[in-house]
Amino acid sequence: MAFVLRRLGFYLIAFWASLTINFLLPRLMPGDPISRMFAQVQGQMTSEELLQLKRLFGLGDVPVWQQYLDYLGSVFSGNLGISISRFPTPVTDVIASQIGWTLLLSATALIIAALLGNLLGILAAWRRGGLVDTVFPPLLVFVGSFPYFWLAMAALYLFGVTLGWFPLRHAYDAGLVPSFSWDFIANVATHLVLPALTIVLVSIGGWLIGMRNTMIATNAEDYITMATAKGLRPGRIMYRYAARNAMLPSVTAFGMSLGFVVGGALLTEVVFAYPGVGYQLLTAVQALDYPLMQGIFLTISATVLLANFFVDIVYVRLDPRVRVH
Amino acid sequence: MHITPRRGRTATVIAAGVAAVVALSGCTASGGGGGASEGALLTVPREDTASFTPNFNPFTPDASPFTEQAIFEGMFIYNPADGQTTPWLAESWEATADGTGVTFHLRDDVQWSDGEPFTAEDVVYTFELQQEVLGGYAYVTEVSAPDDTTVEFTFDAPNSPAVFDVGQESIVPKHEWETFDDPATETNPEPVGTGPYTELANFGAQSFDLLPNPNYWQPDKQKIPGIRVLAFAGNDGANLAAANGEVDWAPQFIPNIQKAFVDKDPEHRHYWFPGTGSMIQWTLNTTKAPFDDVAVRKALSMAVDREQVTEIGMMGYAHPADCTGLSDNLDGWKDEAVLEACDWTTLDVDAANALLDEAGYARGSDGIRTKKDGSPFAFKISVGASSSDWLSVAQIIAENMKAIGVAATVDSPDWGQVVEGYEQGTFDTGIAWSGNGPTPWSYYRTAMSSTTLKPVGEQAFDNYHRFADPRADELLAQLAAAGDEAAQQAAANELQTLYSELAPVVPLFPGPEWGAFTDTRFTGWPTEDDPYATLSVRSPTTVLVLTTLEPVAK
């Protein structure tokens, strides 16, 4: 318990630090939101209107320390202010309308990649020099080293445009109304295949190699030899003895990746026009939309910290060595 | 501003072993890509919004697509493509004799989409709201409604160009908007308007539909069953949809449009890029020497190969500017005398060199000229990194400068940084837009009027080159005060002569208004031969297209 509390304290400090950086970084960028907007509309607005907007957005007339305190307070009250680039939609509404799709896409891809990658890694290490070991690691590392944007475009053209097997864009067909019907879920699933597939292809190699390498090291341990000598079934040794211990670094990696599911699918969302939060972050940065940037960064840093905290707790369960200090 | 990321070329076959992974869900969904089954609605992509949130408030800078094009309407519509003005919610209007006001006579048969009658009260209320929420219209001292179909505007000074601003303001219903707590931050999710397509349906993050207004005042013009807007994160996705024929209208920038879009179905696909946008110009910071010297500005302008700029930099989508600096929408205002005497916007390297020699910028031993203070004649050309076409324009200009012994380097950080340099007056030179309007007044006001002049270090939203001339102020006031067209034209001609004499900026080309369409499902699009509107989906003329299109008879 003391361990958990200590970790919790550490995470709170990390959270405060990331909040402060979220606040400062956007404001260190050149220009201001109004100028950006003006550059966007290229002289379609009058300067009087722009100055009025500046007042409306609450920019410039509030000292920075006051903005900082308001922002810290707003984090805990859940009111993140009004987005500038999507004025007058509240930041929470903008994020809420998109984050579900991002989570669905990234989490699906992450879980598939982690499960498949680890499984292949276990098999590759267990039968070294076997079929799995000779084919998959080089192949998947090769695929994973493509520029992601190119791979996504290629998949879109090949399976979407040329073969027409999958839809080209969006999370579901235009005109459908979201519901929990079988038809709608099936529609979402077909739209998910290509974007998720490309993420899986790019990331699976890392899981495989990582798992394979720790597994090889574990296989050389004395207790594996012991278990073999005792005549246990190979499958039991592979999963219960070797993989269980070799899994630990993968759990850490999984926790870290879990944190990045919110911001990790930016390019995918751009290529497949998936209505997620990643592209929104890009536009928010381009428009210098402070409240929205803060909101999205806050969401990302909170998920990273939560995921790590969760991994810490799980680790205590998995690895007795952590408990010793 | 068009972001044009690189397009990946079509793939070679991806490694095998992929198929093994595609065990995502065992079901095959009905109705995959859509497209063919959606022949009913006019499908339009929106290339700069990855997901929609409902916001149909016309007083906000970034309202949902078609808010001011299909839901709310103005009193008249000015079309930059042919210079014509179409009466809309107003049947007619006339300026007062001394030019300090205008009276609009409204139609009496217009209803809001909720069935309430549209009256002059709504117009008065809209302008009160606009001044309160967004500002602007500072010159409007009074708006009054003597009866239900008459609205009278009073200005603080004679101001003939103002009629175009007030006439095109989107009018909102008073009876609905007075119930809102805070109109400035109202998202108006269930809009009530006078436009042809006001009924919102299927609103989702990635698409929404607008269906016909049941109480529209021109029911015979609602020939299309509705509008469907699709969200796209960037041009590439929208261009793909256009190339696949899944959208009817493609208002975004499409690189290499002939090959990427038209050639796939030349019979039905067309594009038209009229130069009705604002003048795109090479802005020289006149607060820095030697750009304060008119001889230098003209010499630099003469050294620019505008043919190359428009053919290569702009892919042939634009054409060179002339000495009036006016865009194509103001063709009718151009003074023949100025055009005939025009010499500083055509390529003439020898004349440019002679001008610089004469002005005392001698070449050094390395072939680079020196400024008056003895430093080398070198400067930066700023342009935002995301605008690939303008970037190549800047590179061509930098290359052109070598011929006259001037060292120009292209500086392309993020647009935000570029614009900050423009606004604070810290930049050397840059590629920028300008003001544009139905009369030359808007452009010349941002080009050389002291009303738009800000000192270096004070934020300027226009007149980045920071140039003013008292004669221009006088002529602009004359143009604004002129009651009849002849007097306006006379003032405009003198402005053009003055501009050509002073060369406050270096005009490059009129900004093209992007637009392309496929007429397989709908016909009646505006074209170069029938320019009743532009192909923009963000302009007041858009409603003219919406009320002209009709479905192809099946």
Side-chain angles (χ1 to χ4, degrees):
Chain A
M1 201 60 225
F3 166 83
V4 173
L5 283 177
R6 248 206 328 278
R7 299 303 293 163
L8 201 59
F10 165 77
Y11 277 112
L12 280 177
I13 292 171
F15 187 58
W16 171 77
S18 68
L19 282 187
T20 308
I21 293 170
N22 287 351
F23 177 82
L24 288 176
L25 273 184
R27 284 170 175 74
L28 293 173
M29 290 170 71
D32 68 74
I34 304 291
S35 313
R36 298 284 176 119
M37 194 175 283
F38 201 53
Q40 206 74 38
V41 298
Q42 294 196 6
Q44 300 294 302
M45 292 166 93
T46 64
S47 31
E48 294 86 26
E49 285 180 340
L50 287 160
L51 291 172
Q52 178 77 7
L53 281 176
K54 215 166 180 158
R55 280 193 290 275
L56 214 53
F57 295 155
L59 295 163
D61 46 4
V62 185
V64 171
W65 60 267
Q66 180 71 45
Q67 288 181 34
Y68 179 66
L69 291 180
D70 290 350
Y71 162 65
L72 283 187
S74 73
V75 169
F76 296 101
S77 68
N79 169 20
L80 299 173
I82 288 179
S83 158
I84 293 176
S85 60
R86 313 287 302 259
F87 189 85
T89 315
V91 168
T92 39
D93 288 6
V94 176
I95 297 177
S97 74
Q98 300 164 336
I99 198 156
W101 295 114
T102 297
L103 289 178
L104 174 71
L105 170 62
S106 305
T108 307
L110 174 65
I111 289 166
I112 291 174
L115 283 180
L116 265 179
N118 279 317
L119 196 62
L120 287 172
I122 292 169
L123 291 173
W126 195 250
R127 301 205 192 286
R128 291 188 56 192
L131 181 70
V132 176
D133 195 28
T134 38
V135 175
F136 282 101
L139 178 76
L140 290 174
V141 169
F142 173 71
V143 173
S145 60
F146 277 109
Y148 178 75
F149 203 84
W150 185 90
L151 192 75
M153 281 282 194
L156 181 65
Y157 277 93
L158 182 68
F159 299 113
V161 179
T162 317
L163 296 170
W165 292 353
F166 297 108
L168 304 179
R169 68 187 62 97
H170 291 163
Y172 53 89
D173 286 346
L176 285 187
V177 180
S179 62
F180 278 105
S181 67
W182 174 242
D183 276 354
F184 182 74
I185 291 169
N187 193 288
V188 168
T190 48
H191 280 260
L192 196 57
V193 175
L194 277 189
L197 171 72
T198 48
I199 300 180
V200 167
L201 275 181
V202 166
S203 53
I204 196 168
W207 293 106
L208 188 157
I209 299 292
M211 188 65 197
R212 176 180 174 271
N213 295 350
T214 37
M215 185 85 176
I216 286 171
T218 316
N219 283 346
E221 295 279 351
D222 288 346
Y223 61 86
I224 303 288
T225 322
M226 169 84 176
T228 320
K230 281 201 295 192
L232 293 173
R233 275 182 298 109
R236 188 180 164 87
I237 301 173
M238 181 165 84
Y239 291 114
R240 286 298 191 65
Y241 284 58
R244 191 177 159 183
N245 287 305
M247 212 50 156
L248 293 171
S250 278
V251 171
T252 313
F254 185 79
M256 300 281 276
S257 314
L258 205 59
F260 290 107
V261 293
V262 174
L266 172 93
L267 287 174
T268 326
E269 288 173 8
V270 172
V271 174
F272 296 99
Y274 214 76
V277 87
Y279 181 75
Q280 187 63 59
L281 178 59
L282 183 69
T283 47
V285 169
Q286 282 172 342
L288 265 190
D289 186 344
Y290 302 137
L292 188 54
M293 266 196 271
Q294 280 164 197
I296 298 177
F297 286 143
L298 174 71
T299 318
I300 293 175
S301 40
T303 38
V304 172
L305 290 170
L306 273 176
N308 275 301
F309 184 63
F310 173 72
V311 169
D312 274 353
I313 305 287
V314 171
Y315 238 71
V316 178
R317 283 274 311 123
L318 287 179
D319 190 349
R321 288 169 299 186
V322 179
R323 288 172 232 174
V324 183
H325 7 272
Chain B
M1 213 124 311
H2 15 261
I3 301 171
T4 50
R6 299 204 96 79
R7 235 164 209 264
R9 292 270 162 251
T10 321
T12 48
V13 179
I14 294 182
V18 172
V21 193
V22 193
L24 194 85
S25 63
C27 55
T28 49
S30 52
S37 58
E38 293 162 11
L41 299 176
L42 178 78
T43 311
V44 185
R46 176 74 179 209
E47 78 285 354
D48 60 356
T49 313
S51 55
F52 297 124
T53 44
N55 169 21
F56 297 94
N57 177 342
F59 301 107
T60 57
D62 207 17
S64 296
F66 290 106
T67 300
E68 296 192 77
Q69 284 74 30
I71 296 172
F72 297 104
E73 298 178 317
M75 290 184 283
F76 66 66
I77 298 162
Y78 162 75
N79 173 19
D82 64 0
Q84 297 300 310
T85 306
T86 310
W88 209 247
L89 292 180
E91 280 173 327
S92 63
W93 54 93
E94 71 272 346
T96 51
D98 58 355
T100 55
V102 60
T103 306
F104 286 91
H105 303 285
L106 306 178
R107 304 182 61 95
D108 58 2
D109 58 350
V110 179
Q111 289 182 330
W112 295 100
S113 51
D114 60 0
E116 295 283 324
F118 159 82
T119 69
E121 277 303 313
D122 293 310
V123 180
V124 174
Y125 178 77
T126 297
F127 279 86
E128 280 169 11
L129 208 56
Q130 166 81 19
Q131 281 178 323
E132 177 194 335
V133 170
L134 253 189
Y137 295 119
Y139 55 81
V140 177
T141 49
E142 197 195 353
V143 188
S144 61
D147 61 56
D148 273 354
T149 57
T150 313
V151 186
E152 290 175 354
F153 289 83
T154 314
F155 308 139
D156 58 1
N159 193 342
S160 65
V163 69
F164 290 102
D165 290 338
V166 297
Q168 299 203 86
E169 176 73 22
S170 295
I171 308 298
V172 300
K174 181 181 180 181
H175 66 271
E176 190 199 24
W177 283 74
E178 51 189 6
T179 64
F180 295 147
D181 294 338
D182 182 7
T185 58
E186 172 62 44
T187 55
N188 193 20
E190 292 170 7
V192 172
T194 57
Y197 297 93
T198 53
E199 305 305 291
L200 196 58
N202 299 338
F203 195 96
Q206 49 184 27
S207 77
F208 67 88
D209 300 345
L210 285 167
L211 303 178
N213 170 357
N215 297 308
Y216 194 47
W217 54 280
Q218 309 179 93
D220 56 318
K221 292 195 170 179
Q222 292 172 295
K223 299 192 196 82
I224 55 177
I227 308 163
R228 166 162 295 170
V229 193
L230 305 180
F232 286 98
N235 283 9
D236 276 12
N239 293 348
L240 179 64
N244 274 347
E246 291 170 82
V247 292
D248 300 292
W249 201 337
Q252 75 280 4
F253 173 73
I254 304 180
N256 196 359
I257 191 163
Q258 187 66 37
K259 195 162 162 292
F261 174 72
V262 177
D263 285 353
K264 292 192 163 68
D265 185 4
E267 198 180 325
H268 294 290
R269 295 186 180 187
H270 306 278
Y271 70 91
W272 174 46
F273 298 156
T276 55
S278 79
M279 177 55 63
I280 307 304
Q281 46 199 22
W282 184 18
T283 303
L284 311 171
N285 187 344
T286 60
T287 62
K288 288 188 181 180
F291 303 123
D292 53 354
D293 182 345
V294 63
V296 169
R297 295 196 297 265
K298 286 196 171 175
L300 294 181
S301 174
M302 283 181 195
V304 174
D305 184 349
R306 286 179 179 71
E307 292 294 333
Q308 208 185 355
V309 162
T310 51
E311 281 307 311
I312 296 168
M314 296 302 294
M315 304 182 204
Y317 296 165
H319 64 85
D322 55 44
C323 292
T324 64
L326 299 175
S327 269
D328 291 359
N329 58 319
L330 300 167
D331 268 345
W333 289 84
K334 288 181 183 176
D335 182 1
E336 281 304 319
V338 174
L339 293 178
E340 269 165 39
C342 183
D343 60 354
W344 58 274
T345 55
T346 37
L347 179 68
D348 191 343
V349 175
D350 295 342
N353 274 316
L355 251 182
L356 289 173
D357 292 336
E358 197 184 332
Y361 300 90
R363 278 179 190 260
S365 54
D366 55 354
I368 299 291
R369 295 177 183 276
T370 46
K371 291 191 227 170
K372 296 274 162 84
D373 59 5
S375 59
F377 200 142
F379 54 81
K380 286 180 186 160
I381 306 176
S382 305
V383 63
S386 57
S387 304
S388 57
D389 47 357
W390 287 15
L391 196 57
S392 54
V393 166
Q395 278 153 349
I396 290 167
I397 294 176
E399 188 62 31
N400 290 162
M401 290 303 116
K402 287 179 181 165
I404 56 167
V406 170
T409 45
V410 177
D411 180 40
S412 56
D414 171 84
W415 262 118
Q417 242 170 307
V418 175
V419 173
E420 189 175 30
Y422 292 170
E423 289 179 347
Q424 301 296 333
T426 54
F427 72 112
D428 292 351
T429 76
I431 310 290
W433 51 92
S434 57
N436 191 13
T439 69
W441 185 82
S442 318
Y443 178 69
Y444 291 133
R445 188 168 164 267
T446 59
M448 49 187 186
S449 154
S450 62
T451 53
T452 56
L453 182 70
K454 295 274 194 300
V456 172
E458 194 179 314
Q459 194 171 28
F461 289 119
D462 36 32
N463 197 346
Y464 296 141
H465 48 284
R466 287 173 164 74
F467 183 93
D469 187 280
R471 285 172 294 165
D473 291 342
E474 225 168 283
L475 290 169
L476 283 164
Q478 264 182 44
L479 174 57
D484 64 297
E485 279 182 25
Q488 288 181 2
Q489 184 67 59
N493 288 354
E494 288 195 52
L495 275 167
Q496 292 171 58
T497 311
L498 185 65
Y499 176 90
S500 188
E501 177 194 325
L502 297 171
V505 290
V506 177
L508 296 170
F509 52 87
E513 186 82 73
W514 312 122
F517 63 86
T518 308
D519 62 10
T520 43
R521 290 191 287 235
F522 298 93
T523 56
W525 299 91
T527 59
E528 197 164 0
D529 304 325
D530 181 18
Y532 70 84
T534 66
L535 280 166
S536 161
V537 290
R538 292 174 171 82
S539 103
T541 61
T542 307
V543 71
L544 294 173
V545 182
L546 296 176
T547 50
T548 307
L549 290 179
E550 44 187 300
V552 173
K554 284 267 183 320

